């Protein structure tokens, strides 16, 4: 079928936007990031509230902040590009207003964040100014990144600041962002920031040395996990149930989510202690590959941790003596290109499209890479308009073998729904309900017009790893 003028315009727009979207060039070795410029690494450092403010008194931890500033300046002196993602606005606001604890009322929390954000930036400016280093404040929300043009503008702004030698300091706009305050999205924000600028490393600085098999504060037998290759397998075998500090909104769970997002974009992610940022130099100069990796083939938690013997055999006793504790999540071999990573992680899903077995096989076929057509859609939920993001879901139980009486005769113990990915739709939800199940040439008969021959173009469809039913 000949493409419609709108479809041709859409393809041209995607091609123009993708001039700004380049995939990371693989360095050829897992765990060995390489800057695309060849002159240095691009590093994102995320500093949590527990590394910025005292949990009880809310006074700023000037010794830690000074070490962070000095570390950033030394990294820049070595030719690296550094972005700082910071929390702490609420903690600093509590100190400024002489409040003992964070209130439960959302409006009050956001008001405290508004007071604290200015003080926090003033604190950073004072510290960096001692070394004549300019900084820039960037406040983001998820809505800012939902629009493709604004997303690219944010990427270009951060890149321009780095080229000017400025240290960008990124924070979520707590005053208007509900999700960050409730769910600790600054970990996620740091991962999205790292993906936006094609960073080589993302450092999640926290109040522990690394990820452990259990909470080391309550379990003395907890062992460190040094290198992770499979985050999904790690989640099944390692306890990360502990929450964050009293002031913070995160915890180890949000850091694993951030690691998942960042590694999918080709960013090596590291969990390290915030009070010893100087360890960053050793970590980026001493790459580790598959030592203590979490593998789905390994059943015992002990085998997923890096023992002294395993590391010594691989790197030697001399190297181990100087190796700081940290957890390194290896970047994916084939990271997503920028546009598809943005669709999957930068956009809120406004609805869900349910597809049949034929569409499921076409979409999950790596060699086919099919678009999603109306003929393969069985239902949609939610209210959305064209060019919004939706989830694409398959329900295996609807397609199990049945006898002549309609009774299911095939056993299935898998998930009720399999999410195949997300995509930008060419039709609104009410239009999809009218054209579902029909051939592309019948769309004009159902609607009176045909804006596109497919519901989701393959270039606007981001597929995730799925399990065959």
């Amino acid at each position: 079928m000949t493409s419609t003028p709108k479809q041709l315009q859409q393809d041209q727009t995607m091609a123009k936007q993708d001039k700004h979207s380049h995939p990371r060039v693989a360095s050829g070795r897992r765990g060995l990031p390489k800057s695309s410029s060849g002159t240095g690494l691009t590093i994102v450092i995320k500093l949590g509230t527990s590394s910025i403010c005292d949990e009880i008194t809310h006074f700023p931890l000037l010794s830690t902040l000074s070490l962070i500033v000095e570390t950033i300046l030394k990294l820049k002196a070595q030719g690296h590009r550094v972005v700082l993602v910071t929390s702490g606005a609420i903690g600093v606001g509590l100190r400024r207003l002489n409040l003992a604890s964070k209130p439960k009322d959302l409006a009050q929390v956001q008001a405290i964040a508004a007071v604290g954000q200015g003080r926090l930036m003033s604190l950073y400016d004072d510290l960096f100014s001692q070394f004549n280093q300019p900084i820039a404040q960037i406040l983001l929300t998820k809505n800012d990144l939902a629009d493709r043009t604004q997303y690219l503008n944010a990427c270009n702004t951060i890149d321009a600041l780095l080229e000017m030698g400025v240290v960008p300091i990124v924070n979520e706009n707590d005053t208007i962002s509900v999700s960050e305050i409730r769910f600790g999205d600054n970990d996620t924000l740091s991962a999205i920031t790292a993906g936006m600028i094609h960073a080589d490393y993302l450092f999640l600085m926290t109040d522990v040395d690394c990820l452990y098999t259990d909470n080391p504060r309550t379990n003395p037998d907890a062992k460190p996990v040094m290198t992770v290759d499979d985050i999904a397998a790690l989640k099944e075998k390692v306890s990360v149930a502990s929450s964050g500090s009293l002031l913070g909104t995160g915890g180890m769970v949000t850091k694993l989510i951030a690691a998942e997002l960042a590694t999918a974009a080709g960013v090596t992610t590291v969990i390290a202690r915030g009070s010893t940022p100087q360890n960053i130099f050793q970590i980026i100069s001493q790459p580790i590959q598959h030592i203590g990796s979490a593998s789905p083939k390994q059943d015992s938690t002990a085998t997923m941790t890096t023992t002294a013997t395993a590391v010594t055999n691989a790197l030697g006793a001399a190297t181990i003596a100087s190796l700081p504790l940290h957890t390194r999540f290896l970047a994916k071999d084939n990271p997503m290109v920028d546009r598809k990573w943005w669709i999957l992680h930068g956009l809120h899903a406004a609805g869900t499209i349910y597809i049949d077995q034929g569409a499921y096989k076409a979409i999950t076929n790596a060699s086919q890479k099919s678009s999603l057509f109306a003929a393969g859609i069985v239902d949609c939920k939610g209210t959305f308009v064209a060019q919004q993001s939706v989830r694409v879901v398959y329900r295996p139980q609807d397609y199990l073998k049945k006898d002549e009486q309609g009774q299911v005769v095939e056993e299935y113990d898998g998930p009720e729904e399999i999410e195949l990915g997300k995509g930008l739709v060419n039709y609104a939800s009410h239009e999809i309900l009218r054209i579902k199940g029909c051939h592309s040439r019948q769309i004009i008969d159902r609607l009176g017009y045909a804006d596109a021959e497919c519901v989701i173009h393959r270039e606007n469809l981001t597929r995730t790893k799925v399990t065959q039913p």
Side-chain angles (χ1 to χ4, degrees), residues 31-33 41-45 194 199-203 267-270 283-287 328:
L32 295 179
L41 299 169
T42 300
I43 300 171
V44 175
I45 299 175
D200 297 285
Y201 277 101
L202 166 62
F203 281 89
V267 182
T268 297
T269 304
V270 177
I283 293 171
I284 64 176
S285 65
Q286 202 63 248
R328 184 183 311 233

Side-chain angles (χ1 to χ4, degrees), residues 293-334:
S293 296
S295 170
K297 296 180 181 178
Q298 297 172 328
D299 295 327
S300 103
T301 302
T303 59
M304 294 164 50
T305 63
T306 302
T307 63
T309 302
V311 180
T312 302
N313 291 340
L315 297 179
T319 303
I320 284 304
S322 62
L323 188 67
L325 277 177
H326 67 282
T327 299
R328 184 183 311 233
F329 299 86
L330 301 180
K332 298 297 183 183
D333 278 327
N334 300 304

Side-chain angles (χ1 to χ4, degrees), residues 36-317:
S36 58
S37 64
T39 59
L41 299 169
T42 300
I43 300 171
V44 175
I45 299 175
K46 188 268 178 178
L47 203 58
T49 301
S50 61
S51 300
I52 296 174
C53 298
D54 183 272
E55 193 172 351
I56 304 301
T57 66
H58 310 149
F59 278 113
L61 303 175
L62 292 178
S63 59
T64 299
L65 292 174
S66 297
L67 283 173
I68 286 286
V69 170
E70 291 179 10
T71 299
I72 291 174
L73 291 169
K74 289 178 182 178
L75 287 169
K76 284 178 57 62
Q78 292 178 2
H80 305 307
R81 295 152 43 107
V82 185
V83 175
L84 178 62
V85 178
T86 183
S87 301
I90 295 173
V92 174
L94 288 172
R95 178 67 268 164
R96 184 69 182 91
L97 297 173
N98 292 318
L99 297 176
S101 61
K102 184 169 67 174
K104 295 182 179 180
D105 180 71
L106 178 61
Q108 291 184 355
V109 174
Q110 292 178 319
I112 292 169
V115 172
Q117 183 61 36
R119 298 283 292 186
L120 180 63
M121 285 305 299
S122 176
L123 180 59
Y124 278 124
D125 192 46
D126 287 343
L127 292 171
F128 278 103
S129 293
Q130 302 301 315
F131 304 91
N132 199 30
Q133 172 61 52
I135 62 173
Q137 173 181 249
I138 299 178
L139 296 178
L140 295 174
T141 66
K142 289 181 178 178
N143 288 337
D144 295 330
L145 305 180
D147 179 81
R148 180 65 179 171
T149 301
Q150 291 183 190
Y151 172 87
L152 292 174
N153 284 344
C155 295
N156 293 335
T157 298
I158 296 175
D159 190 63
L161 288 168
L162 292 172
E163 290 298 319
M164 295 167 63
V166 177
V167 175
I169 299 181
V170 182
N171 195 3
E172 186 153 359
N173 195 342
D174 294 349
T175 304
I176 61 175
S177 177
V178 176
S179 61
E180 192 280 335
I181 292 175
R182 290 184 174 176
F183 304 112
D185 266 6
N186 261 15
D187 286 323
T188 303
L189 176 64
S190 67
I192 292 176
T193 302
M196 287 168 58
I197 63 175
H198 302 278
D200 297 285
Y201 277 101
L202 166 62
F203 281 89
L204 301 173
M205 311 303 285
T206 183
D207 55 359
V208 293
D209 291 304
C210 59
L211 175 66
Y212 287 84
T213 54
D214 201 353
N215 189 341
R217 294 166 178 163
T218 58
N219 182 2
D221 296 326
K223 297 179 175 61
V225 179
M226 291 289 285
T227 307
V228 179
D229 192 27
D230 189 329
I231 297 177
L234 181 78
K235 286 180 178 179
E236 295 177 0
K237 304 184 188 308
V238 172
S239 173
V240 291
S242 59
S243 61
S245 65
L246 295 177
L247 295 178
T249 49
M252 201 55 72
V253 173
T254 62
K255 287 168 179 57
L256 290 186
I257 294 172
E260 228 168 357
L261 299 182
T263 54
V267 182
T268 297
T269 304
V270 177
I271 294 176
R273 183 175 288 275
S275 59
T276 54
Q278 62 271 21
N279 288 341
I280 291 176
F281 298 103
Q282 293 172 278
I283 293 171
I284 64 176
S285 65
Q286 202 63 248
I288 306 173
Q289 292 180 276
H290 302 290
I291 299 174
S293 296
S295 170
K297 296 180 181 178
Q298 297 172 328
D299 295 327
S300 103
T301 302
T303 59
M304 294 164 50
T305 63
T306 302
T307 63
T309 302
V311 180
T312 302
N313 291 340
L315 297 179

Side-chain angles (χ1 to χ4, degrees), residues 7-21:
Q7 186 68 49
L8 291 173
Q9 182 181 11
Q10 181 186 28
D11 291 344
Q12 292 170 355
T13 301
M14 286 188 296
K16 185 182 297 183
Q17 288 177 331
D18 285 345
K19 289 181 179 179
H20 300 272
S21 308

